[in-house]
Amino acid sequence: MRIWSALQSLPGLSSVPAGWGFGLDDDSRRFIDVFLQPGLGTVKSYPCPYNCGCGQRVVAHRDGSIVAVCQCDPPKCQHLSLTLADVIPLDLNLSKFGRALCKALSLESKAVEFGLTCTRQIGSWSASAVPVILTIQWDPQQFRSVVAALVFRLKCPFILLAPTSAHLDAHCQELLAHVGAGFFPLDAYIIITEQGNLQATKPPGEIFLGFAPPPGDSIAESSARQVLALAKRLDAEQPMKLPTAFMVLIMYSQEELSAAEIAQKCRCSKATVISRLNLLHRKLGQHPVTLRRYSEHFKTIEKSLAGARSHDGRPGSTSDDEDTDTEESES
């Protein structure tokens, strides 16, 4: 996906529309529509479409016309007639981009600035609250400096996201390994949907497997057991048709399936699944997406209870009442 390379080629993550748009595919253009915003003022230089290597000088005439003039000596390219929209820069909305990544990767959203160029913590992962940091650098040396600064400041495992692995060299790998940090290029793990949303290429629990809390973590395991117990109690107190709230919790939070995938698997409507998610949200005090940090604990607990459940014999459906709580799709 060319947009990831484009992000690492534009200093300051800012350029005129033509600077962002050259040679990009449809997915990349959707990214531009969603995550870019107009900057301040107008630019003084315009990228040459003739690939002569110069940045054309932007000249605004008194009559309101705008042209881009070739700076080569002697001039090689024709003048370009431009509009005001052509010379207003588009900047990456880093906050919006970070929130979208949190949603796609099931992270706890948490924005923290480090005072480093185009670098910030966007969230945390798992019950251990492993910091997840996004950095977008166009210069390899600057990327190395950012990695070194993060390692020096944090002195603990963290997850580092960047558009591609183009700047990741042996020195950076050594620095990250020193504190148990991991590097994850977005071009390998994130795609852009037709609606312009970000989507992980595999379950986040699988992507960040090395950063999940160990199954023996007593605090996280205790919390996971409490969640499962509450969900089972909810099924007993509010009998419902399949899938039950507990089933949805397991498929959504443990198996990390989407509402649409659960609906297909259970042969029910997506609205029914969303109703269960909303019910779980109200009763548990947090959206089931945040419970994905307990996915490994859920698996361990479920295995230990598998034998007992196989002899339970409790019917899963005792009511054919229609669902009425059909809010918007899960976040």
Side-chain angles (χ1 to χ4, degrees):
M1 187 175 296
R2 298 186 184 94
I3 187 60
W4 306 123
S5 297
L7 286 174
Q8 292 189 165
S9 65
L10 297 172
L13 303 177
S14 178
S15 181
V16 294
W20 282 103
F22 282 153
L24 296 184
D25 53 19
D26 290 340
D27 286 349
S28 300
R29 295 184 187 281
R30 283 191 285 268
F31 179 96
I32 289 173
D33 291 339
V34 174
F35 295 108
L36 299 190
Q37 61 186 10
L40 300 176
T42 57
V43 298
K44 297 181 180 180
S45 179
Y46 191 83
C48 178
Y50 303 108
N51 297 319
C52 74
C54 77
Q56 296 189 331
R57 181 167 57 93
V58 175
V59 179
H61 296 294
R62 291 184 178 181
D63 62 2
S65 62
I66 303 173
V67 295
V69 181
C70 182
Q71 296 298 291
C72 295
D73 188 15
K76 300 178 181 178
C77 310
Q78 298 178 0
H79 293 354
L80 292 177
S81 295
L82 304 175
T83 67
L84 181 59
D86 292 329
V87 295
I88 295 178
L90 295 178
D91 302 339
L92 176 66
N93 187 327
L94 203 55
S95 296
K96 186 176 183 180
F97 183 42
R99 290 193 298 270
L101 284 173
C102 285
K103 183 176 180 180
L105 295 170
S106 301
L107 306 175
E108 290 281 358
S109 182
K110 182 179 181 180
V112 178
E113 296 288 351
F114 292 99
L116 301 172
T117 303
C118 297
T119 302
R120 66 171 60 178
Q121 179 178 349
I122 61 171
S124 61
W125 168 255
S126 85
S128 300
V130 178
V132 179
I133 299 165
L134 171 67
T135 188
I136 305 176
Q137 305 299 328
W138 51 92
D139 177 70
Q141 187 171 359
Q142 179 66 22
F143 179 82
R144 288 192 292 270
S145 297
V146 167
V147 171
L150 291 172
V151 169
F152 177 77
R153 293 187 190 185
L154 297 178
K155 296 183 175 66
C156 68
F158 63 90
I159 292 169
L160 182 62
L161 306 177
T164 76
S165 58
H167 299 330
L168 186 71
D169 57 17
H171 178 65
C172 292
Q173 292 175 329
E174 183 179 7
L175 287 171
L176 293 171
H178 184 68
V179 294
F183 177 79
F184 299 86
L186 298 179
D187 63 348
Y189 296 104
I190 297 293
I191 60 174
I192 303 172
T193 68
E194 293 184 357
Q195 294 72 37
N197 299 319
L198 303 185
Q199 179 178 302
T201 57
K202 58 179 67 174
E206 184 178 340
I207 296 174
F208 303 132
L209 183 61
F211 292 89
D217 186 302
S218 58
I219 297 178
E221 184 172 347
S222 176
S223 298
R225 287 185 180 277
Q226 291 178 14
V227 167
L228 292 179
L230 286 171
K232 285 187 175 182
R233 187 185 309 163
L234 183 60
D235 279 2
E237 294 175 350
Q238 299 187 29
M240 59 190 71
K241 65 181 181 180
L242 296 178
T244 67
F246 181 80
M247 293 171 62
V248 170
L249 174 67
I250 293 300
M251 288 186 281
Y252 189 80
S253 298
Q254 175 183 310
E255 301 175 19
E256 301 188 6
L257 300 180
S258 67
E261 290 171 332
I262 296 173
Q264 183 177 14
K265 186 174 182 178
C266 295
R267 297 182 180 180
C268 67
S269 69
K270 184 178 177 181
T272 296
V273 177
I274 294 173
S275 173
R276 305 291 185 260
L277 291 173
N278 290 331
L279 178 61
L280 288 165
H281 190 178
R282 292 194 301 271
K283 296 299 183 180
L284 300 178
Q286 53 186 320
H287 194 280
V289 72
T290 66
L291 300 176
R292 289 178 174 178
R293 63 183 184 272
Y294 296 136
S295 60
E296 293 303 313
H297 294 287
F298 287 154
K299 292 176 184 177
T300 301
I301 295 168
E302 278 295 284
K303 286 181 180 178
S304 68
L305 299 176
R309 186 165 60 251
S310 65
H311 298 290
D312 186 10
R314 185 178 67 86
S317 177
T318 58
S319 173
D320 292 325
D321 294 340
E322 290 298 320
D323 295 300
T324 57
D325 187 2
T326 57
E327 299 177 16
E328 294 183 2
S329 63
E330 82 280 6
S331 58

